[in-house]
Amino acid sequence: HYLAYGVTNAYADTQDLYVETLDPKDPEKYMEGERSLPFRIVEETLLIKDKKAPQGFREEKVRVKLTGRGPVISGVLPGLETDRVMTLKWAPFQSMDPCIGLHSMLTAKSFSEARQAIGHLNIISLNTVFGDREGPIGWHVSGRVPVRSKGDGTIPFVVTGSEDNWVGYIPFNEMPHSLNPERGWVGTCNHKTIRKDYYPYYYSSHLSPSYRYERLKELLDTPHHKTAEDHWQYQRDTVNLMAKRIAPLMAKALTAHTETKQMGEILTRWDYRDDPDQAAPAVFQAVYRHFALLVFQD
């Protein structure tokens, strides 16, 4: 055994939606400024499981239309009635490496070989933490994240000319990473791992809340030596720090109304552990989900 890995989703923004204009004279073409260009057509055959079919599946042919940015997807999205079309550009499709990189990760025998392997893992953006039995530890984000000249990828980009708002990819050595940090540990919880004040690129607009990472810091910043058994327990830790801050306020609001009083009382007695034999975690998550949606809608 040479290396150990841990992996979480890095939530890097590797795809953009584009609003494209059809040629008013020919719907089989699209506009880039004043230029009218034909869609590239790809015919695909899908095999769909069907018990009634003789072979157990039926075939369905699909006609895919592509612009210079990617496939047209608006035709499969219900409720999107428009005289334009929407296309999708996705970094793994644009930058697929012949070497996926996973086999190199599984056969790496050193810190440097692990980083080199992660550099080939272009198909997905992952936080990969790793430790070498010789002592070095590190964390590095895989995948290709586009550098955008305009906008940040959060909302669809309206195509007005032939220029591309993707002007390259963040160099591997400038992707979020940490090597042998002074605090003596590395770890990720799908949280925001970059800081605006020094990271020069747009990275993502969607990341997980940081409360799980805050809990990880509580556990790993304790001074004692961490054993394999400690790490096993950390993976199964159920303390919910977000609930610790929000649940008391939620319980007060729920207890004030007759129809939700029992829910509030359940939260009041909670020890903020997301254990499956307790009702409080279900109450908290259900109420929080609806509350967050209502706030967003407002």
Side-chain angles (χ1 to χ4, degrees), residues 3 5-7 100-109 113-119 121 126 128-130 142:
L3 291 158
Y5 293 108
V7 177
I100 291 178
L102 285 174
H103 71 287
S104 298
M105 289 179 65
L106 294 174
T107 57
K109 295 183 178 180
E113 286 183 14
R115 283 196 70 222
Q116 188 175 9
I118 294 168
L121 191 61
L126 298 171
T128 301
V129 298
F130 49 96
S142 65

Side-chain angles (χ1 to χ4, degrees), residues 236 238 273-282:
R236 285 149 184 79
T238 60
R273 289 186 175 272
D274 286 331
D275 294 328
D277 60 346
Q278 297 198 70

Side-chain angles (χ1 to χ4, degrees), residues 135-155:
I137 58 173
W139 151 70
H140 213 297
V141 173
S142 65
R144 306 295 298 278
V145 179
V147 176
R148 295 160 170 96
S149 61
K150 298 177 183 177
D152 62 8
T154 304
I155 61 175

Side-chain angles (χ1 to χ4, degrees), residues 211-257:
Y211 68 94
R212 288 181 295 125
Y213 184 65
E214 294 301 320
R215 176 58 176 164
L216 184 66
K217 288 198 292 186
E218 282 186 356
L219 294 169
L220 291 181
D221 279 341
T222 52
H224 71 277
H225 177 74
K226 310 299 187 299
T227 65
E229 178 59 28
D230 288 330
H231 284 278
W232 183 258
Q233 296 303 323
Y234 296 162
Q235 287 286 348
R236 285 149 184 79
D237 182 79
T238 60
V239 173
N240 186 332
L241 293 185
M242 181 174 73
K244 198 171 184 179
R245 296 177 65 184
I246 298 174
L249 301 173
M250 189 184 287
K252 186 177 179 182
L254 293 171
T255 306
H257 302 274

Side-chain angles (χ1 to χ4, degrees), residues 240 242-256 260-275 278-289 291:
N240 186 332
M242 181 174 73
K244 198 171 184 179
R245 296 177 65 184
I246 298 174
L249 301 173
M250 189 184 287
K252 186 177 179 182
L254 293 171
T255 306
T260 56
K261 184 177 180 181
Q262 187 179 1
M263 296 165 67
E265 291 172 347
I266 289 171
L267 288 182
T268 301
R269 297 191 295 269
W270 190 23
D271 60 0
Y272 311 119
R273 289 186 175 272
D274 286 331
D275 294 328
Q278 297 198 70
V283 171
F284 175 77
Q285 294 294 345
V287 174
Y288 180 79
R289 177 178 176 274
F291 172 75

Side-chain angles (χ1 to χ4, degrees), residues 110-137:
S110 68
F111 184 77
S112 59
E113 286 183 14
R115 283 196 70 222
Q116 188 175 9
I118 294 168
H120 284 288
L121 191 61
N122 291 339
I123 59 170
I124 189 169
S125 289
L126 298 171
N127 293 302
T128 301
V129 298
F130 49 96
D132 186 328
R133 70 175 182 180
E134 300 298 325
I137 58 173

